[in-house]
Amino acid sequence: MNAQGPPPPKLPTVKRVAANPTAIPGPIRRSHAVHHNLTLTAREVLAEIEPGLKFMYMTFDGQVPGPLLRIRVGDTVQLTFRNPRENLMPHTVDFHAVYGPGGGMEALLANPGQEKGLYFKAMYPGSFVYHCAVSDLDYHIASGMYGMIVVEPEDGLPPVTREFYLGQNEMYVAAAAGAEGFRAFDFDAMLRENPTYVLLNGQTKAVTPDGFGALKARVGETVRVFFVNGGPNLTSSFHPIGNVWTKVWTNGSFRTAADAYMQTVTVAPGSTLVGDLALPVPGAVKLVDHAITRVVRKGMMGVLDVAGPAQPSIFKPMLPGI
Ligand SMILES: [Cu+2]
């Protein structure tokens, strides 16, 4: 292992690639279909996975996961995909919400400096992953190139107080623990499906008080989590510590009845979960992959900070014997 690693590619350096979990479109309340003009831009950037360790991310719109797109079943979309000249790689998009070859992958394949377009109609409801789909797609997805498109059913989703958006992916980095400087992608580690990191929103501690801030809510509220597992290879066992999925649409399917009071829900790579949490007591709810070594040793954790008065009739620490 080199002390410094290889020289970094010539790309812009940014501090944050972790998506802001609250910067998402609101629920759809209309009862008719509309047309959307949407744009996604491939952004290759350098950023720190953890302090001191720089990595070449590939993203949609500079964030991991890429922007949450939100439409309604029956809506039509004119999607523009841009691959700016400053990038080094070809990119494209495969939308799991789309009927058609490659989910748009062939139509949208763009070299640096190119712009491509796709028209599609949302024929079925659900919450779906989209991801880069060039021939090296595992490399691109593991570098951050995935996101979520929500196709709301005709009658919408049940209302909640707040909504959050999170994405899990593995990262394969040619680095020893504590390494500093730029580090390259580790294809051997990806072949073994043995990632260096398993992360929420692409950077260590991103969705915690030590990173870009915890998710915030208050006692008595109901929150909804839109969760996408980009993979590219590992299944997530998504679990809220100290809580339970009151209602959860597994695999992001809105046509099947939501499950109730589920503790841990498996989310395959290339799939999603939409889950609601009730918040009857204050304190931190940690959102983890219950394949727990990924939490303890590979970084996979987010925090939902629930503020409000103690609720001792539901939960209180007690001294022994009292
Ligand atoms: Cu790509």
Side-chain angles (χ1 to χ4, degrees), residues 87-310:
N87 285 345
L88 305 173
M89 309 262 187
H91 298 290
T92 183
V93 197
D94 170 354
F95 290 97
H96 289 197
V98 170
Y99 278 128
M105 170 263 275
E106 294 163 31
L108 294 172
L109 182 60
N111 285 316
Q114 286 186 314
E115 180 175 306
K116 296 291 181 74
L118 176 72
Y119 166 89
F120 66 88
K121 183 172 185 177
M123 301 291 287
Y124 45 90
S127 193
F128 302 96
V129 67
Y130 65 84
H131 59 84
C132 188
V134 294
S135 52
D136 262 351
L137 76 169
D138 51 355
Y139 167 38
H140 287 224
I141 294 168
S143 300
M145 229 170 168
Y146 68 98
M148 182 190 272
I149 178 167
V150 175
V151 183
E152 294 211 14
E154 288 89 341
D155 47 359
L157 296 170
V160 290
T161 321
R162 298 174 197 281
E163 296 179 324
F164 300 115
Y165 173 44
L166 300 169
Q168 174 174 335
N169 68 284
E170 314 92 81
M171 304 196 76
Y172 303 91
V173 186
E180 299 220 326
F182 174 75
R183 296 292 160 163
F185 193 89
D186 189 338
F187 287 89
D188 289 335
M190 185 165 68
L191 272 170
R192 297 193 306 273
E193 300 187 10
N194 180 21
T196 322
Y197 299 91
V198 182
L199 297 177
L200 262 190
N201 290 23
Q203 288 175 290
T204 53
K205 300 181 180 172
V207 190
T208 76
D210 298 329
F212 301 108
L215 309 177
K216 302 274 189 192
R218 295 193 60 80
V219 167
E221 294 181 340
T222 305
V223 300
R224 176 163 298 147
V225 178
F226 291 97
F227 175 77
V228 55
N229 184 8
N233 299 312
L234 300 185
T235 295
S236 179
S237 303
F238 202 43
H239 169 67
I241 296 179
N243 207 296
V244 69
W245 299 110
T246 316
K247 193 183 282 185
V248 59
W249 292 271
T250 53
N251 295 309
S253 170
F254 297 139
R255 274 285 183 267
T256 47
D259 286 314
Y261 300 104
M262 297 287 280
Q263 58 195 309
T264 300
V265 180
T266 52
V267 185
S271 191
T272 71
L273 166 157
V274 179
D276 293 356
L277 300 171
L279 306 174
V281 301
V285 176
K286 291 177 178 169
L287 298 165
V288 302
D289 180 341
H290 216 296
I292 211 74
T293 297
R294 299 172 190 170
V295 178
V296 180
R297 300 172 200 285
K298 298 199 174 186
M300 174 53 213
M301 189 179 74
V303 176
L304 168 59
D305 190 13
V306 183

Side-chain angles (χ1 to χ4, degrees), residues 43-67:
R43 297 265 179 225
E44 299 170 5
V45 296
L46 302 176
E48 290 181 345
I49 297 179
E50 63 178 319
L53 181 67
K54 202 178 260 194
F55 183 73
M56 178 183 154
Y57 285 84
M58 293 183 249
T59 72
F60 292 104
D61 287 16
Q63 64 175 75
V64 181

